[in-house]
Amino acid sequence: MRKSLQSPRSAVTALLVVASLALAGCSGDDDASAEPETVETTHLDGTVEEVEVPEEPQTWPLTGLEVPDDGSAETRHPVIVTKMDNTPSSSPQMGLSHADLVVEELVEGGITRLAAFFYSDIPGTVGPVRSMRASDIGIVTPVRASIVTSGAANITLSRINGAGITHYGEGYKGFFRESSRSAPYNLMADLKEVASTIKQKMSRPEDYLPWGTADDLPKGPKAASIDADFGNHTTTWQYADGRYHNTNSYAPEDDQFPADTVLVLRVQVGDAGYRDPAGYPVPETKLVGQGAAVLFHAGRAVRGTWSKNNLTSPIKLSTKKGDLTVPAGRVWIELVPAADGDVTWTK
């Protein structure tokens, strides 16, 4: 039985009697103008009081963290994924500290590129902005994200468009070339400007990961130092002060992604069917099916497996004992090639 708010004079003696239950917006309409759920309560003195029923805590789909109830949350936009360069030429990367989640994926030449997800916090300038890959279809579609990009090869554009993914590039509001950088590493985007052009009422996306708490995790071995090897690039992490720090990040110290968790998924990699301008074959990460996973949190490693039924479905995690959840927080996902990559860690 729900407890009611009681008037001072009946606070001690009043008994709660639920007289009726009024559900506002019971038509199923998700319109923001729908009235909150209320209950009418009758006190012993005959007074009737209408009490608003507290809503269940809402959480962000990309972090699992609670949405503030002070009205500051702005969600009238889709999830915006920015494709960012991840080579020394990208230095300094901008905007990563505002991202909810980051996915690091293999591109040609054994190097990597970042898909930085922005939803709860839309910053100003981010970049350098680079091109899309077919791998991005499986990465962004589970949350119906739009992509901020410098473009893509025609074969990739055809597949991206066929998947129904909205993308924005140079020529749209918010994009500019930074004069202090060299092309093609000088394309930047003001995400606030980009978001202003696509502002609309959006329904909440599905959770990107199965969120839980640290108490839900099995106790794995200590893992303070992590190396995610993609071939010609290794991303290194060090656990300190309650978070994982990317020790070879190209972002300035005050703008790095504050990872609460590093999630490594071992993935199959195929051939995208074309070569880049330098002649390298373009790989395509297959974020579908299943594979080995290692979840790093609070300085420990938990081994498991990941699965994804199709490109649009969310990622599921499990161990031999059952489902595996990710502690709510900000997560960096490493899509490490199963065949030619590796992940190692030490105490």
Side-chain angles (χ1 to χ4, degrees), residues 2-331:
R2 289 191 178 92
K3 294 183 178 180
S4 69
L5 299 177
Q6 299 176 346
S7 61
R9 61 177 176 168
S10 60
V12 177
T13 61
L15 296 177
L16 174 62
V17 180
V18 177
S20 64
L21 180 63
L23 296 179
C26 58
S27 62
D29 192 339
D30 290 330
D31 187 83
S33 63
E35 296 180 1
E37 179 184 350
T38 61
V39 293
E40 285 186 357
T41 62
T42 302
H43 300 285
L44 288 180
D45 61 3
T47 59
V48 178
E49 182 180 13
E50 189 171 275
V51 181
E52 182 176 326
V53 178
E55 294 182 356
E56 291 295 324
Q58 293 184 328
T59 58
W60 294 113
L62 300 177
T63 64
L65 298 172
E66 286 192 18
V67 176
D69 59 3
D70 58 4
S72 63
E74 173 60 81
T75 58
R76 290 181 296 169
H77 54 75
V79 174
I80 300 175
V81 173
T82 301
K83 292 305 303 291
M84 293 178 63
D85 191 81
N86 196 43
T87 68
S89 298
S90 68
S91 182
Q93 294 168 328
M94 299 184 68
L96 282 178
S97 64
H98 298 267
D100 288 318
L101 179 143
V102 175
V103 177
E104 183 172 8
E105 60 186 294
L106 180 71
V107 292
E108 53 276 14
I111 60 175
T112 64
R113 193 157 291 176
L114 307 181
F117 287 64
F118 298 90
Y119 187 59
S120 68
D121 181 11
I122 301 297
T125 300
V126 299
V129 178
R130 298 302 306 275
S131 58
M132 299 177 288
R133 297 292 183 271
S135 306
D136 295 322
I137 297 174
I139 293 172
V140 309
T141 53
V143 288
R144 308 188 304 278
S146 297
I147 302 181
V148 167
T149 176
S150 64
N154 287 336
I155 186 173
T156 300
L157 277 175
S158 178
R159 293 182 61 185
I160 293 286
N161 292 333
I165 299 171
T166 303
H167 48 91
Y168 300 88
E170 192 169 12
Y172 282 89
K173 182 179 180 180
F175 287 80
F176 63 95
R177 294 281 175 175
E178 173 57 65
S179 60
S180 64
R181 300 172 184 253
S182 300
Y185 309 101
N186 61 346
L187 181 62
M188 313 296 285
D190 185 325
L191 285 197
K192 288 187 181 295
E193 291 288 319
V194 175
S196 72
T197 69
I198 55 177
K199 206 167 188 179
Q200 55 188 301
K201 181 63 181 177
M202 301 291 294
S203 60
R204 182 190 184 280
E206 296 295 321
D207 286 341
Y208 197 83
L209 291 167
W211 301 113
T213 69
D215 292 338
D216 301 328
L217 292 180
K219 187 176 181 180
K222 291 183 178 181
S225 180
I226 309 165
D227 292 320
D229 181 5
F230 286 82
N232 286 340
H233 172 80
T234 299
T235 299
T236 60
W237 297 92
Q238 187 68 41
Y239 182 73
D241 303 321
R243 282 182 170 165
Y244 291 90
H245 301 266
N246 183 185
T247 59
N248 59 343
S249 173
Y250 299 114
E253 187 173 347
D254 62 353
D255 200 13
Q256 293 185 13
F257 182 78
D260 297 300
T261 299
V262 176
L263 177 61
V264 178
L265 307 182
R266 304 301 302 273
V267 295
Q268 299 299 318
V269 177
D271 191 328
Y274 65 100
R275 292 177 178 267
D276 74 349
Y280 289 108
V282 177
E284 180 180 346
T285 294
K286 308 290 187 179
L287 191 54
V288 67
Q290 61 183 2
V294 187
L295 188 155
F296 297 93
H297 183 80
R300 293 185 176 274
V302 178
R303 293 179 181 270
T305 59
W306 68 270
S307 63
K308 198 168 182 289
N309 293 333
N310 53 60
L311 292 176
T312 63
S313 61
I315 296 168
K316 295 182 179 180
L317 300 170
S318 62
T319 66
K320 293 180 179 179
K321 295 184 178 181
D323 293 340
L324 176 64
T325 59
V326 180
R330 297 166 82 176
V331 181

